[in-house]
Amino acid sequence: MSTRRTTIRVVAALTGLLWLLSAATSPVYADKKKKAQPALPSKTILDSIDFSKLVWPNPPAPTRVKYLNYFCCDKYVPEAEKKKSSWMDRMAGAETQAQRFDSKPLFALWTPYGLAVDSKGSIYIADGKVGAIFVFNTETRDLQMIKNGVNAHFGDIIGLAIDDSDRLFVSDTKFHHILVFGKDHKVEGSISEGGLLDPGGMAIDNENRFLYVADAALDQVFVYDADKLTLIRKMGTAGKKHTLTEPGQFSVPTNVAVDADGNLYVTDMYNNRVEVFDADGNFIRQWGKSGDRPGTFSRPKGIAIDVDGHVWVADAVQDILQCYTADGHFLMWLGGHGLFPGQFRALAGLYIDKNNRIFTSEQYPGRVQMFRYFTDDEARAQIKQRQAEMEQKKPAGTAKTGAADSAAPTSPASSAAQQPQ
């Protein structure tokens, strides 16, 4: 009898325990349970890279280029509207009126090409596929857009140029003209005189008030008055189907740049060379040859001049950025095929602003990378600082002898790719 009572007590205790456990896990107590923490995003190899140390050339050579950042944007997903759009609009993917006039982007960068920087330091990026000009604040990364159908009517935009009064010039290959915007981003004029066919890369000579436009289809460079928007002259010969190779002629000129003396530099893509002209259009010199290594060209496109007069060229096939002296002496290069910072895929546009920042645009990743250029004076200061640090590390009492100094090996910084020119 006692054994039976004991068994009943055990069963009752177990039943009570199970009831307590079930009650603790019931919805009544669900609020008292600690909420599950969201899963942390998995780390990638990019998280382990110290971008502040991404420089060219490699130490101990003085730094001439440093990676800073990149620009792109994700497709804008608007918040749910109170008023639903019709089922036909949703099926067609049409944007609503609110989306059309929203300041946020509706698309990510797709095929960025032309680049320009205004007086405030904002970077302008032309994207023909999107049909818009992206305007990034380089400090805050805030974005505005000059949109097709809202601010202007674009066909296929490629090149950009901004003068010293922040007027924006936009080349459109589909409509064969150049649109001119005021600093308020409103259209104030257009240029088509001379029969533009495929206007692409552009550059402005603020001193002489020239607007240079490379027309790849006509194998010519058009020169306009940047204020009157009238044609001054044409350079090159049209109608030869990209067969001309003589100095002063072009075979698919893609981009142009102007140096401090008003000289014009043109990337002659099919001839794999750079040609230089004075402000009057007279041929000065050329350099470059076809190849698949740094120091040679394979479809050069973007071109820009830094504050020291070095000529930078974007090579679209090699995916490298090359640096030359004004007379064509090869100095250094950076890049290569890839998606990591400092690498490129379908490198196209190139721009160097007054703050010594280098901007590059790529077609396939849909991004613009930003680098910092270190001037010749800054490079010399780095060399002096490192020499002073080496002197401080020498043991006390170490004597200097002329013979020892003269026999010392040449510093790596003395190579053509590293030495300030």
Side-chain angles (χ1 to χ4, degrees), residues 166-185:
D166 279 349
R167 284 195 309 161
L168 173 66
F169 298 79
V170 183
S171 63
D172 194 315
T173 64
K174 182 177 181 179
F175 296 137
H176 319 297
H177 67 192
I178 297 164
L179 287 179
V180 185
F181 294 79
K183 61 169 51 179
D184 58 357
H185 295 168

Side-chain angles (χ1 to χ4, degrees), residues 397-410:
T398 301
K400 293 182 179 180
T401 63
D405 290 340
S406 61
T410 304

Side-chain angles (χ1 to χ4, degrees), residues 131-166:
I133 299 169
F134 294 71
V135 185
F136 283 97
N137 182 311
T138 56
E139 299 296 329
T140 64
R141 299 180 65 82
D142 289 339
L143 174 63
Q144 296 179 344
M145 294 183 74
I146 302 175
K147 301 179 181 179
N148 178 37
V150 178
N151 306 94
H153 187 39
F154 297 135
D156 187 4
I157 55 176
I158 291 184
L160 296 179
I162 295 179
D163 68 8
D164 52 6
S165 62
D166 279 349

Side-chain angles (χ1 to χ4, degrees), residues 191-390:
I191 304 172
S192 59
E193 184 182 353
L196 286 169
L197 182 58
D198 188 13
M202 298 184 293
I204 292 180
D205 182 345
N206 285 302
E207 188 69 24
N208 295 309
R209 303 307 300 164
F210 294 154
L211 169 67
Y212 293 99
V213 183
D215 193 308
L218 294 177
D219 292 332
Q220 291 181 309
V221 173
F222 288 61
V223 187
Y224 293 95
D225 186 307
D227 299 316
K228 299 178 182 179
L229 309 183
T230 55
L231 181 66
I232 298 175
R233 61 176 172 269
K234 298 180 184 179
M235 304 166 61
T237 304
K240 300 300 181 178
K241 299 181 180 179
H242 316 311
T243 60
L244 298 180
T245 60
E246 297 83 2
Q249 299 292 345
F250 307 110
S251 180
V252 188
T254 56
N255 290 270
V256 290
V258 178
D259 68 11
D261 296 324
N263 296 319
L264 174 69
Y265 294 73
V266 184
T267 45
D268 190 13
M269 188 174 73
Y270 277 13
N271 286 324
N272 290 308
R273 66 184 177 184
V274 172
E275 295 192 87
V276 188
F277 303 82
D278 64 18
D280 295 322
N282 300 311
F283 175 80
I284 299 177
R285 60 182 173 272
Q286 67 178 28
W287 78 81
K289 61 181 180 179
S290 178
D292 58 0
R293 64 186 185 280
T296 64
F297 293 132
S298 183
R299 299 297 185 260
K301 287 191 175 181
I303 187 168
I305 316 295
D306 66 35
V307 68
D308 295 314
H310 302 136
V311 183
W312 296 77
V313 182
D315 194 297
V317 174
Q318 296 187 71
D319 276 334
I320 61 175
L321 195 59
Q322 305 190 51
C323 180
Y324 295 83
T325 62
D327 58 0
H329 180 64
F330 177 65
L331 295 176
M332 65 170 288
W333 66 279
L334 64 95
H337 307 296
L339 295 173
F340 286 107
Q343 295 180 327
F344 307 108
R345 287 189 64 184
L347 180 61
L350 175 63
Y351 190 88
I352 301 178
D353 72 358
K354 296 179 180 179
N355 296 316
N356 297 321
R357 297 179 302 178
I358 302 174
F359 296 90
T360 60
S361 62
E362 301 162 73
Q363 298 284 287
Y364 290 155
R367 68 175 174 181
V368 169
Q369 297 191 65
M370 179 172 64
F371 305 84
R372 163 79 154 85
Y373 167 70
F374 287 78
T375 66
D376 287 351
D377 290 339
E378 289 175 316
R380 294 188 184 99
Q382 292 178 53
I383 294 173
K384 289 182 179 179
Q385 181 180 356
R386 291 176 184 176
Q387 289 175 344
E389 292 173 351
M390 291 177 64

Side-chain angles (χ1 to χ4, degrees), residues 56-57 61-62 64 329-333 412-421:
W56 295 265
R64 302 314 305 267
H329 180 64
F330 177 65
L331 295 176
M332 65 170 288
W333 66 279
S414 64
S415 68
Q418 301 159 354
Q419 183 78 3
Q421 300 294 320

